[in-house]
Amino acid sequence: MKALRLLMLEDTDTDAEIISYTLKSQGLDADICRVQDEAAYTAALVTFRPDLILADYTLPGFSGLEALAIRNERARSTPFIFVSGSLGEEKAVETLRTGATDYVLKDRLHRLPAAVTRALQEAKQREDKQRIAAELEAERKLIRAIQDTAKALIIVIDAQGHIQHINPEAARVLGQPRLQLIGSIFWNTCVSEHDTKATRHQLRLAFKSARKGSQVWRATSRNGQAIMWSSSILDTGVRQSSRIVLCGIDITAQEIAEERVHFLDNFDEVTGLPNRKLFLQQLTSACEKFTLQPDHKLVVMLISFPRFDEIRDSRGEAVINHIMAVMVQRLRAWQKRNQLLARVSDSGFALAFETDETHPMSDVVAEVQAITGRSIEFEGMQFVLPSHIGTATYPRDAGEALPLLQAAEAALHSAEFQREQGHTAYRSLLTVESNERLQLESELRRALQQDELVLYYQPQIDVRSGQMIGLEALVRWQHPRLGLLSPDTFIHMAESAGMMRELGSRVIHSACAQIREWRQQGYQPPRVAINVSASQFSTPELPEYIAALLRDYGLDGNAIGLELTESASMKNPQATTAIMARLRLRDVSLSIDDFGTGYSNLSYLKRFPINHLKLDKAFVQDIADDADDLAIARTIIAMGTQLEIDVIAEGVETEEQLQLLSKAGCHHVQGYLFSPPVPAASCPALFSYPFAPVTGTLRSRKGQRA
């Protein structure tokens, strides 16, 4: 129990000590604040906040009555006891009349502990009474608020159904004036004709079963509102005077919301098509109704459009919604027997239909690809969307709806993973492959934590001088079970599983750490180019992150370069330009990778503050045999020259490729002709390694290929 806070107004030291001793001797644990003048007394009322005040009647320059007056003004509920040497009857009466709790003469201090205890008890009782009174008043206000302002509809009726009382909310919801409703028959004025009979039955039950609980029922009002009513009996002692209190809740909005929830739970909001949940229910019914016939089958087809995210990021949600609407129209128009259509993912649809062997699946897939692959126009722009398709057949691939849908999903994932194939039909091996991919994905998460990712480096060469101008850092996975894995095995998986930011961050850290290590060993490595994913580059904080990383490793911006794919750079070109500009201020070199494979807008390309274009190896590998590839390569090189952007050709493997690129004006290359990607330990031997310039031979001065 906390100590009593006692404020003592007393100017005599001896008296103060005697008073303190008297209280403590009777077991009153008091924290005493003693004051002697008005200023200290007034301040203590605020800072000390006493539970009780003991005051001498007469003090030099300040009287006890003045102290009492201040108490009355600033802390009226605090008990106040005069402790004085002499106090006549007249003065004693005056102190009590003025508000003092009690008075004790100093020659009778044995009375003081009891007076203090009594004063505190009385103060507590007053506090409790005030609290109870406040609670009762709050309760009355609450009841009035419930009746007058609550959303509940409150109506009191007699045994004959006459309305005796109705609150404003009930009149508002029912759409009729209160005075007009008073005295009317409840079921004739407040309930629709369709629900009148049921309502009267519920009210009869309410009167008959008054002691067994209330009745609850739903009824539509005369103005069409859905009301949930409950009843309770008043005055049950005399049946003739019994009344029913009806409490109603307007559930119109709730029912609309429930219908909305049901829609969202079963349908796609954008297209209005069934979602995956409802499609699975429909597919279950279709499987149950399917009649096995020779050469007859039920097919589940999943279609995904990989460019959806790209278009959404660059053009916005309105374009995607328009494309979705067009696709729905086309797929609905493509009719098959007992066809079902649903949107089962953010970027894809599901079809279920019956077909026979007279329509080979390859022909059916070709039809779907033809109708979905036609260009779609929106606000003057043309969009063409390639698709991935996975199919599974009932009952051959699965005997129930869920396994059948999962089989189609496994086929779709296989088509997406292989990329170059537009369609994959389910086979049992796909489930094994899917499980292996899931296991590999789990192992990749572990690999990010256990430093199983390593960097290899491939030189970039200036063919005019034979000097190495850069290294491209290429990530590999040193898998404990499968050995060294190339990025083609796991990068797409990392992207789809949302691990690219963490993976990319580790690559940048590893590259910077390696550059620092080489320098500490006395080498001067060239600029190291690091690939950056679209998710990393879309982060506005990337320039500050790179700057902090360079500081941590003691490097300047010229030590590294960042490579961004062409398609990723165009997802949000305005934001890309701003981020690039901030990186260039830090002297970080920038490249557009895989140039020519995406869809660059040249008006943006010339605005990008980039240093290099990477000519994709797809145009280099057949450059000696394919006139179109040579023409594309020459065009890109010429464009880079005009824009004063250095072009680096990737995948150079033959001397003939190099001669053609050099004649076209491309002087910077990388590829196996010079060196494959090598581990960091092998790089120092290449830093000063002389590569012969283009003079008819591409041999090193030692006579060995780099």
Side-chain angles (χ1 to χ4, degrees):
M1 183 176 179
K2 67 178 184 178
L4 169 68
R5 294 192 304 275
L6 192 150
L7 177 59
M8 183 187 298
L9 182 59
E10 175 61 60
D11 63 328
T12 303
D13 294 343
T14 303
D15 288 350
E17 292 176 2
I18 294 173
I19 291 171
S20 300
Y21 174 78
T22 301
L23 293 175
K24 289 182 180 179
S25 66
Q26 295 299 315
L28 287 175
D29 183 17
D31 180 8
I32 299 176
C33 174
R34 180 187 166 200
V35 296
Q36 302 182 47
D37 55 42
E38 180 178 357
Y41 172 78
T42 304
L45 287 177
V46 177
T47 59
F48 185 61
R49 300 182 64 186
D51 298 316
L52 184 137
I53 301 170
L54 299 181
D56 199 351
Y57 187 80
T58 304
L59 294 93
F62 185 49
S63 72
L65 286 177
E66 290 175 321
L68 179 59
I70 294 172
R71 191 285 319 247
N72 291 343
E73 179 182 348
R74 304 188 183 186
R76 189 170 188 84
S77 61
T78 304
F80 190 104
I81 299 176
F82 278 106
V83 181
S84 181
S86 62
L87 196 65
E89 183 178 345
E90 184 176 339
K91 289 182 179 180
V93 172
E94 181 184 3
T95 61
L96 296 176
R97 181 176 55 79
T98 310
T101 307
D102 203 347
Y103 66 90
V104 176
L105 298 178
K106 290 183 178 179
D107 60 357
R108 299 180 184 178
L109 283 180
H110 63 276
R111 289 188 56 250
L112 182 59
V116 168
T117 301
R118 184 171 59 254
L120 292 174
Q121 290 174 345
E122 291 175 353
K124 180 65 169 58
Q125 291 171 356
R126 286 194 301 272
E127 181 182 344
D128 290 344
K129 288 180 180 179
Q130 291 172 355
R131 177 179 53 79
I132 293 171
E135 291 175 353
L136 290 174
E137 179 59 26
E139 190 73 19
R140 285 191 290 269
K141 289 181 179 179
L142 178 61
I143 293 173
R144 288 195 297 270
I146 290 174
Q147 289 189 355
D148 296 338
T149 63
K151 292 298 180 181
L153 287 62
I154 300 174
I155 298 177
V156 179
I157 64 173
D158 62 18
Q160 289 72 44
H162 294 96
I163 297 176
Q164 297 182 338
H165 173 79
I166 182 169
N167 73 336
E169 181 65 11
R172 185 192 67 78
V173 171
L174 296 172
Q176 300 182 57
R178 291 179 66 190
L179 293 179
Q180 181 176 321
L181 289 170
I182 297 295
S184 66
I185 303 296
F186 170 72
W187 49 80
N188 288 341
T189 55
C190 301
V191 179
S192 68
E193 294 181 0
H194 177 75
D195 290 332
T196 297
K197 184 177 180 180
T199 297
R200 295 189 67 176
H201 175 70
Q202 292 293 337
L203 292 174
R204 282 195 297 270
L205 291 178
F207 276 110
K208 290 179 180 179
S209 58
R211 294 178 178 82
K212 297 180 182 179
S214 63
Q215 302 298 312
V216 179
W217 74 100
R218 179 198 178 281
T220 303
S221 67
R222 294 274 168 162
N223 60 347
Q225 299 299 102
I227 312 294
M228 185 64 71
W229 293 103
S230 64
S231 63
S232 59
I233 298 293
L234 288 177
D235 304 330
T236 55
V238 182
R239 179 169 297 276
Q240 287 74 12
S241 64
S242 293
R243 294 174 292 171
I244 290 182
V245 177
L246 299 175
C247 182
I249 300 175
D250 183 0
I251 59 172
T252 307
Q254 178 182 336
E255 290 189 348
I256 294 173
E258 288 174 352
E259 291 176 1
R260 175 70 172 164
V261 169
H262 174 77
F263 175 83
L264 294 177
D265 194 40
N266 293 278
F267 295 88
D268 172 58
E269 188 172 13
V270 175
T271 63
L273 293 176
N275 60 15
R276 188 181 191 278
K277 174 185 175 182
L278 182 56
F279 176 74
L280 191 57
Q281 295 174 1
Q282 294 174 334
L283 184 59
T284 299
S285 178
C287 290
E288 291 172 351
K289 295 177 181 178
F290 182 75
T291 303
L292 287 175
Q293 302 176 30
D295 301 329
H296 197 59
K297 56 189 175 184
L298 174 64
V299 177
V300 173
M301 175 184 291
L302 298 183
I303 313 167
S304 72
F305 300 94
R307 287 194 63 199
F308 265 24
D309 289 340
E310 177 184 312
I311 295 173
R312 178 184 287 107
D313 291 344
S314 61
R315 301 299 174 186
E317 201 68 33
V319 180
I320 290 297
N321 292 344
H322 175 76
I323 292 174
M324 278 285 183
V326 173
M327 289 296 185
V328 170
Q329 291 176 357
R330 292 177 180 179
L331 291 172
R332 277 178 170 159
W334 182 74
Q335 288 293 322
K336 287 289 183 180
R337 183 181 177 187
N338 296 325
Q339 177 175 295
L340 301 174
L341 175 61
R343 184 182 181 186
V344 294
S345 69
D346 188 52
S347 60
F349 298 94
L351 287 162
F353 52 86
E354 295 181 25
T355 186
D356 55 47
E357 295 301 332
T358 62
H359 295 84
M361 188 52 57
S362 58
D363 292 346
V364 175
V365 169
E367 291 177 19
V368 174
Q369 290 177 325
I371 64 174
T372 60
R374 299 199 306 268
S375 65
I376 297 174
E377 183 176 349
F378 183 77
E379 295 183 349
M381 298 187 66
Q382 298 288 330
F383 297 92
V384 177
L385 280 79
S387 62
H388 293 131
I389 294 178
T391 56
T393 302
Y394 175 86
R396 184 192 66 192
D397 297 327
E400 296 180 355
L402 180 57
L404 183 63
L405 181 57
Q406 291 171 337
E409 288 173 334
L412 178 62
H413 292 159
S414 177
E416 292 173 338
F417 190 75
Q418 297 178 28
R419 296 193 178 189
E420 68 274 4
Q421 296 185 8
H423 165 240
T424 299
Y426 177 77
R427 60 186 191 280
S428 58
L429 185 60
L430 288 179
T431 302
V432 177
E433 293 173 352
S434 178
N435 290 335
E436 289 179 349
R437 283 197 299 273
L438 288 175
Q439 180 180 352
L440 202 60
E441 179 182 317
S442 175
E443 292 173 341
L444 180 58
R445 294 186 187 277
R446 182 206 62 204
L448 290 172
Q449 304 300 323
Q450 299 184 2
D451 294 328
E452 293 177 6
L453 299 180
V454 295
L455 294 185
Y456 275 50
Y457 299 87
Q458 187 171 38
Q460 297 171 336
I461 309 300
D462 186 328
V463 297
R464 295 167 298 185
S465 64
Q467 296 300 312
M468 187 192 306
I469 61 167
L471 290 168
E472 181 177 3
L474 301 167
V475 66
R476 300 289 188 268
W477 181 2
Q478 189 62 58
H479 195 285
R481 177 170 53 89
L482 303 175
L484 191 66
L485 301 180
S486 69
D488 291 340
T489 309
F490 59 89
I491 289 296
H492 180 59
M493 178 192 309
E495 289 174 344
S496 61
M499 291 186 276
M500 276 307 297
R501 287 196 182 184
E502 184 178 358
L503 189 152
S505 176
R506 290 186 176 273
V507 168
I508 298 174
H509 270 276
S510 297
C512 290
Q514 186 59 63
I515 296 170
R516 181 177 66 180
E517 182 178 339
W518 281 330
R519 290 185 177 182
Q520 290 173 345
Q521 293 170 352
Y523 300 108
Q524 293 299 320
R527 170 186 48 81
V528 175
I530 305 166
N531 291 284
V532 181
S533 69
S535 60
Q536 282 180 285
F537 207 89
S538 63
T539 306
E541 297 80 15
L542 178 66
E544 287 70 29
Y545 170 75
I546 294 295
L549 200 60
L550 292 171
R551 286 195 303 271
D552 291 343
Y553 286 101
L555 305 175
D556 54 29
N558 292 319
I560 66 170
L562 301 181
E563 294 190 359
L564 182 68
T565 62
E566 177 186 3
S567 57
S569 68
M570 293 304 300
K571 283 189 173 183
N572 189 339
Q574 295 92 337
T576 297
T577 303
I579 293 174
M580 284 182 169
R582 289 159 59 197
L583 287 166
R584 290 296 298 127
L585 288 174
R586 293 167 170 82
D587 296 326
V588 176
S589 174
L590 298 172
S591 303
I592 298 295
D593 198 10
D594 301 335
F595 190 77
T597 62
Y599 67 104
S600 282
N601 183 322
L602 295 183
S603 65
Y604 276 108
L605 183 61
K606 68 182 182 180
R607 299 180 198 173
F608 289 162
I610 59 175
N611 305 86
H612 311 283
L613 286 179
K614 301 288 290 295
L615 178 61
D616 188 73
K617 62 183 179 181
F619 301 114
V620 173
Q621 60 188 6
D622 296 325
I623 197 172
D625 304 312
D626 191 319
D628 291 337
D629 282 352
L630 179 58
I632 292 172
R634 286 172 172 168
T635 300
I636 292 174
I637 294 167
M639 181 186 66
T641 302
Q642 289 293 320
L643 295 176
E644 298 182 349
I645 301 173
D646 181 31
V647 177
I648 301 176
E650 297 181 294
V652 179
E653 298 181 353
T654 69
E655 296 182 5
E656 188 175 6
Q657 292 170 346
L658 183 59
Q659 294 288 352
L660 290 171
L661 290 167
S662 181
K663 289 179 182 179
C666 180
H667 305 303
H668 294 165
V669 298
Q670 72 182 85
Y672 276 72
L673 181 61
F674 298 96
S675 173
V678 296
S682 301
C683 288
L686 302 177
F687 290 156
S688 58
Y689 194 69
F691 297 91
V694 180
T695 56
T697 178
L698 295 169
R699 303 288 176 179
S700 71
R701 295 176 192 172
K702 294 182 180 180
Q704 297 176 344
R705 180 171 295 182

